[in-house]
Amino acid sequence: MSEPVPSPQRFALTLAYDGGPFNGWARQPGLPSVQEAIESALAVVSRQELRVVVAGRTDTGVHASGQVLHVDLDAAAQAKVGVRDGAEPVEVTLVRRLNAVLARSTGRAVLIHSARPVPPGFDARFSALWRSYTYTIADGERRWDPLRRGDTLFHARALDVDAMQAELDSLLGLHDFLSFCKPREEATTVRELQGGEVVRGEDGLVRVHLRADAFCHHMVRTIVGALVAVGEGREPSGWVGRRLGERTRDAKTKMVAGHALVLTGVGYPDDEVAGARAKATRAKRAAL
């Protein structure tokens, strides 16, 4: 009787990337993507064609400092990853070898911070409890710094941070964010905005911090666009909350540029309940 084939080991990887050279996270024919860069690097170190699952797909030009993905490595792939490096755990060798390949293929635009083995039920997307993003704005030419042009929006008009915070407060909670999303077929636009803050840092830059259970397509950039409209006085106080209630996309729906947006983190439950969280999230999305 043949011995049973062991199940693949799932690994969760935390990574960062400069979104400037890429046409977003997801693979697209003939265009560079973060997903393609990582899966190509995995093919080099594992000698297998592997697919990854990411916590949140980012748009063209959007950056990440705390993105998370998962990938399954069978025994053969783990052996290839760990070749000549048996003295250290596979996850340590995996990070080191992936970063060596990515340094050559992307010019260090993508960096793997860490890897860890997780239970088979863990899902980088569906197990997540929250995602957080930060959007950075330099309002007024005196704050524009050419060295920050790749991750900061240069905005000509001064912004009222307190007015923007008041508008953001009206969005907190569970709502249908259709007015701030690009709907996808058979996908819900109901999300829970769990936290939000608009602050002006010691460097004078305005930063919008948002955290939600998940974000629908273009949601962060459209929310920031609406906050800017009130912050510069183009729209009156209370306009953002009214837009939320209208549940419509029209000419007033404006997005800010993607290059000033960073996915800063993803939160997960403990490993022993990550699988249950993934099942519950899938069931909830299906019901909606």
Side-chain angles (χ1 to χ4, degrees), residues 29-179:
L31 296 173
S33 69
V34 183
Q35 181 182 9
E36 180 185 25
I38 292 172
E39 289 178 346
S40 295
L42 280 166
V44 171
V45 302
S46 71
R47 300 296 190 268
Q48 292 184 15
E49 296 294 327
L50 301 171
R51 291 291 176 261
V52 302
V53 174
V54 73
R57 291 179 292 178
T58 48
D59 293 337
T60 297
V62 176
H63 316 292
S65 60
Q67 179 70 278
V68 179
L69 63 82
H70 79 247
V71 64
D72 295 333
L73 302 183
D74 62 18
Q78 292 182 59
K80 289 294 184 182
V81 168
V83 65
R84 297 190 303 274
D85 295 307
E88 61 187 14
V90 171
E91 58 267 27
V92 175
T93 308
L94 179 63
V95 171
R96 178 162 50 77
R97 297 192 64 197
L98 281 177
N99 281 333
V101 176
L102 290 166
R104 296 191 298 270
S105 62
T106 73
R108 301 191 190 281
V110 181
L111 182 71
I112 310 298
H113 285 315
S114 64
R116 67 183 184 92
V118 291
F122 175 94
D123 188 290
R125 178 186 177 191
F126 289 112
S127 294
L129 296 172
W130 53 262
R131 288 94 168 158
S132 61
Y133 284 86
T134 294
Y135 197 93
T136 303
I137 307 170
D139 56 329
E141 292 186 22
R142 64 189 178 88
R143 295 192 173 98
W144 295 358
D145 179 355
L147 299 181
R148 297 296 305 271
R149 69 189 186 280
D151 66 357
T152 302
L153 178 69
F154 290 179
H155 189 74
R157 297 181 180 180
L159 297 174
D160 183 334
V161 170
D162 291 336
M164 294 170 69
Q165 181 66 61
E167 298 298 301
L168 180 53
D169 288 343
S170 70
L171 300 180
L172 297 179
L174 184 67
H175 304 286
D176 186 340
F177 283 92
L178 177 61
S179 298

